[in-house]
Amino acid sequence: MYDVIIIGAGPAGSTLARLIGKRYRVLLVDKGMVLPKNGKAPAAKCCGGLLAPDAQRMLARMELGLPRDILSGPQLFAVRTIDLLNRIERYYQRSYLNIDRGKFDQWLASLLPPDVELRQTCFFRGFAEDEQGLRVHLSQDGSIHEEYTSLLIGADGAFSLVRKQAFPQMPAPRQYIAIQEWFKSERPLPYFTAIFDPEVTDFYSWLIPKDDKMIVGSALRTGETATANFELLKSKLREYGFDLTHSIEKSGAMLMRPVKMSQVLTGQGRVALIGEAGGWISPSSAEGISYGFRSALALADALMSGLEGFQKRYLRRTRRLRSNIRLKNLKAPFMYNRILRRIVMTSGIHSIDVSSP
Ligand SMILES: Cc1cc2nc3c(=O)[nH]c(=O)nc-3n(C[C@H](O)[C@H](O)[C@H](O)COP(=O)(O)OP(=O)(O)OC[C@H]3O[C@@H](n4cnc5c(N)ncnc54)[C@H](O)[C@@H]3O)c2cc1C
């Protein structure tokens, strides 16, 4: 019998397990490899690998310093914003830590206290509730087994099975498929580029330098048009002057966009959600790492005084995070409405001048 079973060892799940691992008997389960095994490194999550200022602030609050080998280059201090349709571009000052996402997740998992039991390549399949607690069905190496727990945490990301099974009636955030293609790059761009073009997506696309490579990514509405729209984006970028000649690899992942607060869930009864599984992600920039940290920290705080009444405490402790998402949704039209964006970008408000020799 475990006190807590956490499904998903991404930033949210690993952080919660680290924070409550000494207080509770915790089982942390992930369907993938989390730590290197037999000389093989785990596959990295499809991600831009940028730690925004909010994520940096959370690292500071958790008293964590980033090991040097997690960094990729170059470190970025500006966002170049391109409105492809209106043909306007602007630069804004913003500091990002440019990281190797695979190494980052491994590092977070390496901080788990020895008390936490980590089961890698183990799938969560479902759960059932009885008087004693929750019976959680897990499968590993072709066999299915059950574990008992008092509390089940869904930290299983955008495609959360815990959320689907526990709260099937609750509205889900708007779903996107994010596609990223890596290209060889001779000269890394010294900024993060955000691209807006409603012909490609109603969200946004990006270019991120990663050492001697460059990631071209886009958050696209799910459905048949996603691949075609990604190809359209690349052809528009080539026409704009970007060198996308040597493709190296391509991957994709689901992405949530909570456009209404009813789509953000903390949980109920014996099941709670953290990270993207709960809808904790920025609806304006798709920045999700800091939200994973913040929701995990809020739940850990709520659990510190025991299991009794923790849901209410977790809900209370996420009040500011919910306001943050509400605010980002209010800000979104200035980024995503074509006319408002043109007005903001033409005005040059908050932008910086850049000069290169
Ligand atoms: C293309 C792309 C680019 C992004 N770029 C950035 C960025 O640059 N900066 C940023 O801050 N955010 C970015 N995000 C968002 C960010 O990656 C996520 O919001 C963040 O990873 C969420 O953390 P999490 O711990 O909630 O979930 P995840 O990191 O998704 O981790 C979930 C874990 O659950 C496991 N899991 C899932 N289902 C099961 C199951 N049934 N059984 C067992 N285990 C399971 C998975 O293997 C995974 O390890 C990006 C997202 C995408 C898709």
Side-chain angles (χ1 to χ4, degrees):
M1 177 85 185
Y2 292 93
D3 296 319
V4 185
I5 295 184
I6 303 171
I7 310 299
S14 288
T15 299
L16 179 68
R18 181 171 57 80
L19 296 172
I20 64 168
K22 288 197 178 115
R23 167 93 164 73
Y24 291 101
R25 192 160 175 235
V26 175
L27 172 65
L28 176 62
V29 170
D30 201 288
K31 67 180 181 187
M33 262 170 67
V34 178
L35 293 167
K37 213 170 158 185
N38 306 329
K40 249 181 89 180
K45 183 187 159 85
C46 173
C47 178
L50 293 183
L51 288 183
D54 281 347
Q56 297 171 32
R57 188 163 172 273
M58 284 310 297
L59 289 173
R61 280 188 61 195
M62 295 190 293
E63 290 191 286
L64 292 175
L66 213 56
R68 194 199 327 213
D69 72 324
I70 288 168
L71 295 178
S72 295
Q75 297 310 312
L76 306 171
F77 309 106
V79 185
R80 177 184 179 189
T81 303
I82 304 176
D83 181 332
L84 275 181
L85 220 60
N86 291 319
R87 293 263 153 182
I88 314 172
E89 60 170 82
R90 289 278 176 215
Y91 291 76
Y92 300 91
Q93 201 276 313
R94 204 148 188 252
S95 298
Y96 292 97
L97 287 176
N98 194 357
I99 56 157
D100 177 320
R101 175 65 197 261
K103 288 184 183 166
F104 181 69
D105 284 8
Q106 283 175 50
W107 168 65
L108 289 173
S110 76
L111 303 175
L112 292 171
D115 320 64
V116 171
E117 186 183 331
L118 171 66
R119 254 183 240 174
Q120 312 183 58
T121 59
C122 179
F123 280 74
F124 164 80
R125 298 288 182 196
F127 72 95
E129 191 159 8
D130 58 32
E131 304 87 61
Q132 290 173 39
L134 300 171
R135 256 182 308 130
V136 177
H137 311 295
L138 302 171
S139 73
Q140 195 169 22
D141 301 327
S143 61
I144 297 204
H145 45 104
E146 284 182 356
E147 299 292 354
Y148 269 93
T149 183
S150 304
L151 188 61
L152 175 67
I153 310 296
D156 47 343
F159 212 61
S160 171
L161 195 56
V162 176
R163 178 180 178 130
K164 272 194 206 96
Q165 295 210 352
F167 311 107
Q169 318 293 354
M170 299 304 282
R174 198 183 279 172
Q175 291 185 354
Y176 289 80
I177 168 94
I179 302 178
Q180 291 200 144
E181 190 164 350
W182 292 61
F183 291 87
K184 246 184 134 114
S185 163
E186 299 288 316
R187 280 189 314 126
L189 299 172
Y191 33 71
F192 162 46
T193 309
I195 298 141
F196 298 92
D197 186 334
E199 282 175 9
V200 174
T201 174
D202 64 355
F203 209 174
Y204 82 109
S205 309
W206 54 88
L207 300 175
I208 299 172
K210 218 41 100 177
D211 300 322
D212 56 352
K213 303 178 189 78
M214 180 171 70
I215 302 173
V216 175
S218 187
L220 304 146
R221 289 308 287 267
T222 46
E224 288 161 7
T225 53
T227 316
N229 284 5
F230 189 70
E231 292 307 313
L232 175 67
L233 168 71
K234 286 191 294 180
S235 68
K236 286 187 176 219
L237 289 175
R238 286 191 181 102
E239 196 188 306
Y240 203 81
F242 290 101
D243 176 17
L244 308 181
T245 315
H246 301 290
S247 170
I248 300 167
E249 60 177 76
K250 201 171 172 181
S251 57
M254 292 296 293
L255 187 70
M256 293 287 142
R257 189 179 188 192
V259 291
K260 290 190 184 134
M261 288 320 293
S262 57
Q263 299 164 348
V264 179
L265 298 183
T266 48
Q268 211 178 359
R270 294 175 184 271
V271 183
L273 302 172
I274 54 171
E276 217 175 314
W280 298 114
I281 181 165
S282 163
S284 57
S285 67
E287 187 257 307
I289 294 173
S290 71
Y291 291 78
F293 286 154
R294 284 178 75 176
S295 54
L297 188 59
L299 181 55
D301 282 349
L303 287 170
M304 276 308 137
S305 42
L307 297 185
E308 188 67 37
F310 85 92
Q311 289 281 13
K312 269 194 183 150
R313 293 192 294 276
Y314 178 35
L315 188 67
R316 249 197 331 267
R317 282 175 165 81
T318 48
R319 206 179 54 217
R320 285 177 73 176
L321 198 52
R322 282 199 302 278
S323 304
N324 170 298
I325 292 181
R326 215 172 273 124
L327 240 138
K328 300 242 159 155
N329 272 318
L330 287 176
K331 180 181 141 188
F334 294 96
M335 293 167 77
Y336 295 103
N337 177 291
R338 214 171 129 177
I339 297 161
L340 289 178
R341 183 173 58 237
R342 189 168 55 199
I343 293 169
V344 170
M345 288 182 73
T346 312
S347 78
I349 185 165
H350 297 315
S351 70
I352 53 170
D353 292 328
V354 293
S355 51
S356 40

